[in-house]
Amino acid sequence: PPALPEVTDFSRFHGIGDESSKSRYYYKSIIEQWGRLYKKQGNPIIYRPYSWNLADGYLPFTKLKIWGEDIPFMKKTGVYGVLLNAYNDFAVNGAHTYLFVRMAWDPSLDWKQVLRHYCEKSFGKGADAMEKYYLSLVKRQSEAGQEAGCIFPYTLIYDQQFINDMKELLSDAEKMARTPMDVKRVRYAALPMEH
């Protein structure tokens, strides 16, 4: 297995096989080792992750790509079940919690199609802008090169231009949303960017 990276905690911003994250890539090798033991000894693996950023649960954060890639990997490796530590906050966690539940039942799903379905059902005519918003969060978070899950990397990940661009997408989504409930959901989803 690869040597333990200099980072002492596993990144909350990356998935298990995200090569841009030294700590998560190392963690992947640990799960693969457990998977080999499972196949050899028959002892099931239960995975117990968190579904939110423990350091600050109200800042922009997404596990869409993380769950979208980790769940199929876990299934393939031999993980028997997942005990998700989740908390009920639609604004920050709604999209990736929905994705987690869907993919936990069917790991073969394409996470981007599940996100699209979520956006259509949650935001109505504002779905296109909301999908772009979530995919922008995924891209920025995944590629930022930040390992920690605390609040300090946020100013490095989300600069003012990115925040302005996201607020514009959220505003577009609100304008496009037709029903009062769709508008309300867009406003809730916008709260992390306000924070």
Side-chain angles (χ1 to χ4, degrees):
L4 183 63
E6 293 177 21
V7 176
T8 57
D9 290 328
F10 295 112
S11 174
R12 296 181 199 140
F13 291 144
H14 299 90
I16 226 161
D18 194 337
E19 292 186 40
S20 67
S21 169
K22 291 177 185 176
S23 67
R24 280 294 173 176
Y25 202 68
Y26 174 75
Y27 189 65
K28 177 185 179 193
S29 73
I30 294 171
I31 299 298
E32 288 171 334
Q33 289 176 58
W34 275 105
R36 286 191 292 275
L37 282 173
Y38 163 72
K39 289 174 182 151
K40 184 178 178 183
Q41 299 173 355
N43 47 333
I45 307 166
I46 306 294
Y47 181 54
R48 188 171 185 244
Y50 286 91
S51 187
W52 71 92
N53 184 1
L54 299 165
D56 192 320
Y58 291 100
L59 292 177
F61 179 73
T62 183
K63 292 196 93 164
L64 288 164
K65 180 177 184 247
I66 295 168
W67 294 142
E69 294 177 355
D70 285 11
I71 292 172
F73 170 80
M74 294 285 186
K75 172 72 174 167
K76 184 179 99 180
T77 308
V79 172
Y80 176 75
V82 180
L83 176 60
L84 181 66
N85 285 296
Y87 87 75
N88 188 17
D89 180 1
F90 174 83
V92 180
N93 304 311
H96 62 251
T97 300
Y98 176 82
L99 180 108
F100 175 86
V101 171
R102 291 284 312 277
M103 291 194 71
W105 283 106
D106 184 356
S108 71
L109 294 172
D110 179 309
W111 72 267
K112 290 183 180 179
Q113 290 178 358
V114 175
L115 171 62
R116 180 65 197 175
H117 182 260
Y118 173 81
C119 289
E120 289 172 353
K121 294 298 183 183
S122 297
F123 309 110
K125 298 290 184 184
D128 289 346
M130 291 306 297
E131 182 180 24
K132 286 178 190 170
Y133 167 74
Y134 286 119
L135 290 174
S136 296
L137 286 179
V138 165
K139 183 174 173 31
R140 182 57 68 107
Q141 183 177 298
S142 176
E143 296 176 0
Q146 297 299 314
E147 286 285 307
C150 67
I151 61 170
F152 303 111
Y154 274 93
T155 57
L156 302 172
I157 296 172
Y158 303 114
D159 59 24
Q160 191 60 54
Q161 185 58 54
F162 182 81
I163 292 169
N164 293 344
D165 293 345
M166 294 306 98
K167 286 183 175 181
E168 189 174 324
L169 272 176
L170 292 161
S171 176
D172 290 347
E174 187 175 336
K175 288 173 193 166
M176 295 299 294
R178 297 287 185 253
T179 71
M181 188 53 77
D182 291 345
V183 170
K184 190 175 204 176
R185 288 189 196 110
V186 170
R187 288 178 182 166
Y188 280 142
L191 289 175
M193 205 50 68
E194 289 300 321
H195 292 161

